[in-house]
Amino acid sequence: MKFKILLALIFVNLLQAQKFYFPKTAVNDSVILEKQIPGLAQQIIPQLQSTKYKPENTVDLMDNLFRLQMVAQDYKNSLTSLSENRNLFADNNMGGYRFIGLELYALAKMEQKETNSSFPNALQKVFNQKYESLPEKLIPRLGLALDGDVNASRKLLKSLLDKQKDKDSIDYRTALALCKSYLNYKTYSNIKPQVMQLLASRDKEKFITETQDLKINGNTLTITIVRKKENTSPLPVILTNNIYAGPFDEFFGKRAATYNYVGAVVNTRGKRNSNDVNNPFEHESKDIYEVIDWVSKQPWCNGKVGMIGGSYLGFSQWAAVKKVHPALKTIVPQVAVGIGIDYPAQNNIFMSYMLQWIQYVTNNKFTDEADFANAVKWDSIYTKWYKSGKSFRSLDKISGKPSKIFQRWLDHPGYDEFWQKMVPYKEDFSKINIPILTTTGYYDDDQIGALYYFKQHHLYNKNADHYLVIGPYNHGGAQSFGFTYVNGNPIDPVARISIGDLAFSWFDYILKEGKKPEILKDRINFQVMNTNTWKHVADLDKMHNSSLKFYLQDKKNTSSVFNKPQTKSFTTQIVDFKNRDQKDIYYKVSKKDSIKMTNSVAFESEVLDKDMILSGNLSGVFNVSINKKDFDTDTYLYQIQPDGKSSLLSTHIVRASYAKDNEKRQLFEPNKMEQIPINNSYVMSKKIEKGSKLLLLVGVNKNPNWQINYGTGKDVSDETIKDSGEPLEVKWYNDSYVELPVYND
């Protein structure tokens, strides 16, 4: 076995070291590049097909294959590869049709050759044929799929070519990247202007699209209304409140129209034609009420309004029900941001990403895609701040763009009135009596927010008509479509549902007296990973029917980490906040896998002797003593599969001083044992196979992606490395435990 692994590693290393002929003259001469690039792709294809890929990389393999075939001008086989793997490529853009731009380019090239026609004529013909053949529900997504970024692909292509200056050979990885970037640039620079015009022409035949400005609360908001031409009678309106002004405005409108509703998309203050100040989250509860009032009185509206959208757009719906307008009959919040709950701080710990997002939505009247997508820039900003030891409050200045919004948010580290006034708070939930459908996922960045609203609604309104659908979806999937792979792992076929179809089936049920969606058999509808089944229960606590306590103890000293320790002891952890050059530490799972565990302590279970379904929230309590007044904890639960691969199950982070009450800070007394309850962890539901182990990492949150809590008791945003003092010493007592939610059939 070791010999086979060694041979495989040697093969992969040889592959990466292999060089292909590629003349340096191609770097600056587009004519030579045009001639050389197909041959380069032809050289790579056999190597790609012979590589020993792991099953989870099947998507990447087939994606690279059809692209290389296209670059090699083997259009027929390229389209065959694409067609055969369309379901494999399903994602949040257009299911298997997200490559329609590349597909149209290949079809046009084939048509051009077969009929000896011009490329524009060939492109027009194949576009019209493709448009007619597409399912109607995909038509709204065409604009997004065809809107390739020509400038970005040109820059990437140039950067890759620049690396080849004065070289007559190219390595495998660079050659693959060069071929793919060349294809993107070649495709969209050739087709985009024409196909966008063709699409606009076809849309005019199908839809009536109007854009106008509304005066709301003394401010200007831009609203886009889309209707199907064939629908001449008043209809229910599906409203979306969108801060991400741009192509998605028409998409959301056309999507609703395609399902035979009127689509209305209103942009927030400061977006599109609005010259008002853009303060995200702060005015939605007032503005949306007035927008609904205006919409409900229009001749194309039958007086009924529903709302839909994900992330910020999901938050907007909860803002809208702070005071429910009589015309608002239902909302479908997807992956909803829990403002002040999971963003911009998760369990009271502010995240560095908040600044990147603020600039994304406030830099201009639309969205600053180039800046937001510049991962290198933002990573360097976070790292620069982290290395500097300056206060978290200085992050915006370090970025080169001070932000009043960033500073204002930091002034509210607890869940205080500033956040509470944006969405329903406590008794406000008791007044929400419209039906609601929430969707989120086990890997959704805003799962904690989405479930916060769900739990609060049911807590304060015992008759809440509120359903939840949750499965193995990430932030994108839980507002669009169940992906084929999530986090590198295949998901069960039964989970691959269209969240869009579900949402509009719900609208039909509520707004048109249609049939209740089949999947909604109870209040909570969840997919158990690795079982290919859905389960349905009345409340979140019934996602499991027993529990198992995982104690923080070394398995070498006990027969089982699931047994309460007989004698009390502790594990000491030391974290030096002054050390900013600390090397990452990894937990070696197997020869195949390792897990980063810097600033964490690892506890591993024994091998499980039977299958186990973990389903629900992690809970429990940490008994600790620290030599400071506060710290931020993080917890990760992994499955170590029998094949030696790790899989993340759930996470939890919290500021210890807010763990008991997210509104009121309660500092610790140094060197005194304190309790930290585990609340608001990520929900999971997965069958853990016999022969697996569970790995629990608990530790201190210290990295460039989050605030650093130095433990002085001062406002964490103002603390600096000068406040670090002596290293943090945490004593993790072995009677601490993480309670695992177990479902027994």
Side-chain angles (χ1 to χ4, degrees), residues 22-38 157-158 160-162 164-168 178 182 185-186:
F22 187 71
K24 56 190 175 186
T25 52
V27 171
N28 297 314
D29 192 321
S30 59
V31 175
I32 297 175
L33 178 65
E34 186 89 10
K35 291 180 179 178
Q36 292 294 328
I37 204 88
L157 177 61
K158 185 179 184 302
L160 290 168
L161 288 171
D162 286 345
Q164 288 302 118
K165 283 183 178 178
D166 303 319
K167 297 178 184 177
D168 273 328
L178 179 63
Y182 172 84
Y185 173 66
K186 186 75 174 174

Side-chain angles (χ1 to χ4, degrees), residues 81-149:
S81 296
L82 179 56
S83 177
E84 289 176 350
N85 294 281
R86 197 175 293 283
N87 288 334
L88 195 64
F89 295 139
D91 74 353
N92 62 316
N93 287 325
M94 283 190 68
Y97 291 92
R98 66 187 175 100
F99 303 115
I100 197 163
L102 300 175
E103 189 175 0
L104 287 172
Y105 179 75
L107 288 168
K109 280 293 185 181
M110 292 172 64
E111 176 69 19
Q112 181 185 16
K113 184 176 180 180
E114 290 172 8
T115 61
N116 198 28
S117 59
S118 67
F119 182 79
N121 286 342
L123 181 59
Q124 181 172 350
K125 180 179 178 181
V126 299
F127 174 85
N128 286 330
Q129 290 173 341
K130 179 58 69 174
Y131 187 95
E132 295 293 342
S133 69
L134 283 175
E136 187 183 33
K137 297 297 189 295
L138 289 180
I139 297 299
R141 296 187 178 273
L142 273 176
L144 301 176
L146 293 171
D147 192 19
D149 193 331

